[in-house]
């Protein structure tokens, strides 16, 4: 029978710890991710913790299947519409709950800073140039949570020293230049320096120092002369390719969700007829 979503996540995680890992097994997991991405929203649809587990499993063994990775990123981005400060997704149209043997609905957990960090870390292993769009969506969500604050912020962050330091270091590793994101991390750290302590702050400041150096280097490159190449008619300025404008992943995720909801409604009308 079909694995429930939690079992699928554990299965992928356990499989990634086998050496050598089973390529065919991971291809099967990838195909299952794609299949569930196109299913109507139901108990089997991937929840935030499961998306994170599978992406981390792919990253651990460096398993690259672009269609499956994009399906996971689209699902994650769709689930970003749930407020992480609420800890559970109560909008069942966004993510179906599981149902216990007693018939009680169990809502899916939202993303935490730890799970966001883990997904970004996985992308660093899976992509030569980490997905800027996904990192920026993560940054926007994290800043939103920091600015909103409240009682849910403690659960979202968890271990302050570990979560804040990893949140900064994974963006530095991916060379993502988001000054507002790093500033938000710094402000939260200063507000909770009683929790981080001197050693925790020192660790974070070291990473933020690396970020400032990286930002300064990027600025020097931006202001410097454009790279040149020797062409048929002598030296010519290298023109950067203009990327074709694409619909943002956040919008594509919402459109996909709307499309699935419309299909579900159509099925219900047919069943009621």
């Amino acid at each position: 029978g079909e694995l429930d979503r939690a079992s699928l996540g554990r299965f992928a995680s356990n499989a990634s710890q086998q050496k050598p890992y089973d390529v065919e097994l991971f291809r099967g997991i990838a195909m299952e991710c794609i299949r569930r991405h196109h299913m109507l929203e139901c108990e089997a649809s991937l929840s935030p913790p499961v998306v994170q587990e599978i992406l981390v499993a792919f990253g651990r063994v460096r398993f690259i299947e672009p269609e499956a990775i994009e399906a996971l990123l689209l699902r994650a981005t769709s689930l970003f519409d749930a407020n992480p400060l609420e800890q559970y997704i109560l909008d069942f149209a966004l993510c179906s709950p599981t149902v216990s043997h007693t018939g009680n609905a169990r809502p899916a957990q939202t993303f935490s800073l730890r799970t966001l960090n883990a997904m970004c870390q996985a992308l660093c292993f899976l992509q030569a140039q980490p997905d800027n769009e996904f990192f920026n969506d993560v940054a926007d969500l994290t800043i939103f949570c920091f600015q909103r604050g409240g009682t849910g912020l403690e659960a979202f962050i968890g271990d302050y020293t570990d979560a804040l330091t990893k949140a900064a270091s994974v963006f530095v590793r991916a060379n993502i230049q988001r000054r507002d994101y790093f500033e938000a991390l710094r402000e939260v750290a200063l507000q909770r320096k009683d929790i981080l302590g001197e050693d925790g702050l020192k660790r974070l400041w070291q990473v933020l120092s690396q970020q400032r150096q990286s930002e300064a280097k990027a600025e020097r490159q931006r202001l410097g002369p454009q790279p040149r190449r020797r062409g048929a008619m002598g030296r010519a300025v290298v023109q950067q390719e203009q990327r074709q404008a694409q619909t943002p992943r956040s919008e594509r995720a919402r459109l996909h969700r709307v499309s699935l909801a419309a299909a579900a409604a159509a099925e219900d009308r047919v069943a009621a007829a």
Side-chain angles (χ1 to χ4, degrees):
E2 182 179 73
L3 286 176
D4 63 71
R5 64 190 181 199
S7 296
L8 179 63
R10 287 193 298 269
F11 181 67
S13 183
N14 291 336
S16 70
Q17 297 176 49
Q18 305 300 316
K19 294 183 180 179
Y21 80 95
D22 188 327
V23 177
E24 289 305 315
L25 187 64
F26 267 83
R27 284 179 179 152
I29 294 171
M31 292 303 101
E32 184 64 10
C33 290
I34 295 168
R35 185 183 76 85
R36 295 194 187 203
H37 175 63
H38 292 292
M39 286 193 324
L40 303 181
E41 187 64 36
C42 63
E43 277 191 76
S45 300
L46 302 186
S47 63
V50 175
V51 172
Q52 177 256 322
E53 275 190 297
I54 296 175
L55 266 179
V56 168
F58 284 2
R60 184 176 290 132
V61 299
R62 313 302 196 264
F63 177 78
I64 300 173
E65 168 44 65
E67 186 179 356
I69 292 171
E70 180 60 25
L72 289 168
L73 296 184
L74 276 166
R75 178 64 175 175
T77 304
S78 177
L79 295 170
F80 286 173
D81 283 351
N83 183 353
L85 299 176
E86 294 176 355
Q87 298 182 50
Y88 293 96
I89 302 178
L90 300 179
D91 180 356
F92 296 161
L94 184 62
C95 184
S96 287
T98 55
V99 180
S100 69
H101 66 281
T102 59
N104 294 323
R106 294 175 176 171
Q109 287 183 305
T110 56
F111 286 111
S112 65
L113 188 54
R114 180 189 64 80
T115 53
L116 294 175
N117 291 342
M119 290 191 295
C120 290
Q121 183 71 44
L123 289 181
C124 288
F125 294 139
L126 293 169
Q127 300 172 329
Q129 174 55 53
D131 193 304
N132 278 28
E133 184 176 14
F134 187 76
F135 273 80
N136 280 313
D137 287 339
V138 168
D140 291 340
L141 184 64
T142 302
I143 292 171
F144 164 82
C145 291
F146 287 172
Q147 291 178 341
R148 182 67 62 89
T151 56
L153 185 60
E154 299 292 322
F156 172 71
I157 295 177
D159 182 327
Y160 270 77
T161 300
D162 184 68
L164 294 180
T165 303
K166 285 183 177 176
S169 61
V170 72
F171 269 64
V172 170
R173 175 173 179 167
N175 196 29
I176 305 296
Q177 304 297 332
R178 279 291 299 264
R179 184 180 297 181
D180 57 341
Y181 175 75
F182 290 107
E183 183 62 24
L185 293 174
R186 189 185 73 83
E187 288 180 3
V188 168
L190 288 174
Q191 290 168 7
R192 301 315 305 268
K193 59 185 178 183
D194 56 320
I195 295 178
L196 276 82
E198 186 176 338
D199 289 342
L201 284 173
K202 183 178 179 181
R203 284 174 55 190
L204 181 58
W205 293 165
Q206 288 174 339
V207 178
L208 293 180
S209 176
Q210 295 172 20
Q211 180 270 327
R212 287 191 292 272
Q213 293 171 16
S214 175
E215 184 180 54
K217 180 180 178 182
E219 184 66 9
R220 288 195 299 272
Q221 291 175 341
R222 187 182 70 81
L223 296 175
Q226 290 185 320
R228 303 175 71 85
R229 70 182 177 193
R230 187 171 297 280
M233 301 298 292
R235 296 189 65 82
V237 175
V238 175
Q239 300 294 328
Q240 293 186 344
E241 294 182 4
Q242 295 292 326
R243 292 188 176 182
Q244 191 173 18
Q246 292 185 334
T247 304
R249 183 182 284 119
S250 57
E251 182 61 22
R252 285 187 283 127
R254 291 189 184 98
L255 290 173
H256 180 70
R257 197 165 69 228
V258 168
S259 175
L260 291 178
E267 283 193 3
D268 289 342
R269 286 195 296 272
V270 170

